[in-house]
Amino acid sequence: MKRILEVLSEEINITDTNEAQKRPKVPEGSVEYRSVAFKYKPDAENYIMKNISFKISSGETVGIIGGTGSAKTSLVQLIPRLYDVSEGSVLVGGRDVRNYTMEDLRSAVGMVLQKNVLFSGTIRDNLKWGDKDASDEEIIAACKAACAHDFIMSFPEQYETHLGQGGVNVSGGQKQRLCIARALLKKPKIIILDDSTSAVDTATDQKIRQAFKENLRDTTTIIIAQRITSVMDADKIIVLNDGKIDAVGSHDELLAGNEIYQDVYYSQQKGAAV
Ligand SMILES: Nc1ncnc2c1ncn2[C@@H]1O[C@H](COP(=O)(O)OP(=O)(O)O)[C@@H](O)[C@H]1O
Ligand SMILES: [Mg+2]
């Protein structure tokens, strides 16, 4: 009894554990939506999305396809908590996103939007915004994965090239690739590309995805795209329609059985044949 009391009264060093539970780091890049519903304003009548449930394993590549206004952007914005769910929950690394500090969560989730912002300064300055301590090797590796290294090297001043306000002296597609490289330098566990290769030609888009596949095995990649070719080699594709999941499957499965996917695919096939 004495010994038991001794053990029980032994001071346990739980402070660290408590701290860790309060401020856990994101352990891995899995993503899960559990019965998520969302509206921008609590008093709005209708939900922007409803009944959203799916799971993405860490390291998987997932495509999202759906018409304008189908809630693709709204959906992924819940991952880095640009907005919070109205109902249900979003889990990253097995934990509700609300249980991480914003800083930890956002450093684990890289997001590249269609309209990215570059600031005036050199290309290197802009890239280092992703990671101020990035080494030259890391910068070059990220730029190669984003298919940006070759065009950067073609500029007379290469990585020291000065970008005007908003990156005016590079093309839209080049700007997008710099933004992808910058996001990669953060070494996120999850990277979200929201229509962020729309101004990049199809062949380069393909090369970027190939580089992601080879170099970012452990990074969960979520690709929102208009083009079927941008998502067709993903592990799975989520088809969104009017804020609801219409289907989830591989390219072959969806092409065989999903009407929306078939429509998009065949309309783009026709476009390509002309
Ligand atoms: N900030 C916002 N405030 C209110 N409604 C919004 C906002 N952003 C988008 N919406 C609405 O949410 C719906 C889904 O939009 P969005 O997620 O941008 O779709 P997608 O990315 O598929 O085009 C649309 O009806 C849109 O008008
Ligand atoms: Mg969108």
Side-chain angles (χ1 to χ4, degrees):
M1 193 59 198
K2 189 171 166 240
R3 180 64 192 135
I4 289 171
L5 283 174
E6 258 174 27
V7 171
L8 288 176
S9 59
E10 178 72 16
E11 191 135 358
I12 303 165
N13 182 8
I14 56 167
T15 31
D16 277 348
T17 317
N18 264 347
E19 272 305 296
Q21 273 172 359
K22 256 188 272 166
R23 306 191 39 142
K25 301 270 185 231
V26 178
E28 35 88 1
S30 66
V31 176
E32 183 179 351
Y33 279 56
R34 286 189 186 159
S35 309
V36 169
F38 174 71
K39 47 188 169 188
Y40 282 94
K41 295 192 189 73
D43 54 352
E45 209 172 305
N46 296 315
Y47 287 99
I48 296 289
M49 70 182 88
K50 242 189 137 165
N51 285 329
I52 305 286
S53 296
F54 62 86
K55 276 188 192 182
I56 303 173
S57 304
S58 190
E60 264 189 323
T61 298
V62 172
I64 302 180
I65 285 274
T68 307
S70 60
K72 303 180 297 296
T73 298
S74 304
L75 180 87
V76 297
Q77 282 179 348
L78 305 177
I79 299 172
R81 284 190 74 193
L82 298 182
Y83 293 92
D84 273 333
V85 297
S86 308
E87 287 170 24
S89 51
V90 173
L91 288 81
V92 163
R95 236 177 236 274
D96 193 305
V97 288
R98 290 167 290 197
N99 292 340
Y100 296 110
T101 62
M102 284 294 191
E103 197 189 342
D104 287 345
L105 180 66
R106 291 191 183 165
S107 71
V109 183
M111 195 153 162
V112 186
L113 306 172
Q114 185 182 356
K115 287 212 174 76
N116 319 269
V117 185
L118 292 169
F119 47 84
S120 53
T122 66
I123 286 178
R124 186 185 303 279
D125 292 340
N126 269 278
L127 292 166
K128 281 204 160 186
W129 194 61
D131 172 12
K132 61 179 169 41
D133 301 319
S135 67
D136 286 355
E137 290 73 36
E138 287 171 324
I139 290 175
I140 289 171
C143 287
K144 282 187 173 165
C147 286
H149 180 70
D150 289 348
F151 80 75
I152 294 170
M153 295 307 281
S154 76
F155 297 147
E157 293 180 85
Q158 304 179 343
Y159 280 84
E160 311 313 321
T161 302
H162 232 84
L163 298 177
Q165 190 76 46
V168 282
N169 47 356
V170 287
S171 75
Q174 289 173 338
K175 207 157 116 181
Q176 288 185 330
R177 285 179 272 169
L178 289 174
C179 290
I180 294 172
R182 183 170 67 185
L184 289 178
L185 278 169
K186 273 178 58 178
K187 297 200 183 63
K189 296 204 160 58
I190 300 168
I191 187 158
I192 302 167
L193 306 179
D194 186 357
D195 225 353
S196 36
T197 56
S198 57
V200 173
D201 63 274
T202 317
T204 307
D205 186 32
Q206 157 71 27
K207 263 198 239 163
I208 296 173
R209 277 177 289 112
Q210 191 56 37
F212 267 51
K213 212 172 222 170
E214 284 161 18
N215 306 311
L216 298 171
R217 264 176 222 286
D218 301 331
T219 309
T220 305
T221 308
I222 301 177
I223 303 173
I224 296 179
Q226 304 292 332
R227 294 187 199 125
I228 292 274
T229 51
S230 300
V231 298
M232 60 189 287
D233 47 9
D235 296 310
K236 60 180 170 234
I237 302 157
I238 298 172
V239 180
L240 276 184
N241 183 31
D242 198 18
K244 292 184 197 71
I245 294 182
D246 197 67
V248 181
S250 67
H251 171 75
D252 291 338
E253 288 163 357
L254 294 172
L255 197 55
N258 183 261
E259 217 169 298
I260 295 177
Y261 195 82
Q262 289 164 349
D263 280 354
V264 180
Y265 179 76
Y266 290 113
S267 69
Q268 293 183 357
Q269 284 290 97
K270 248 183 264 159
V274 171

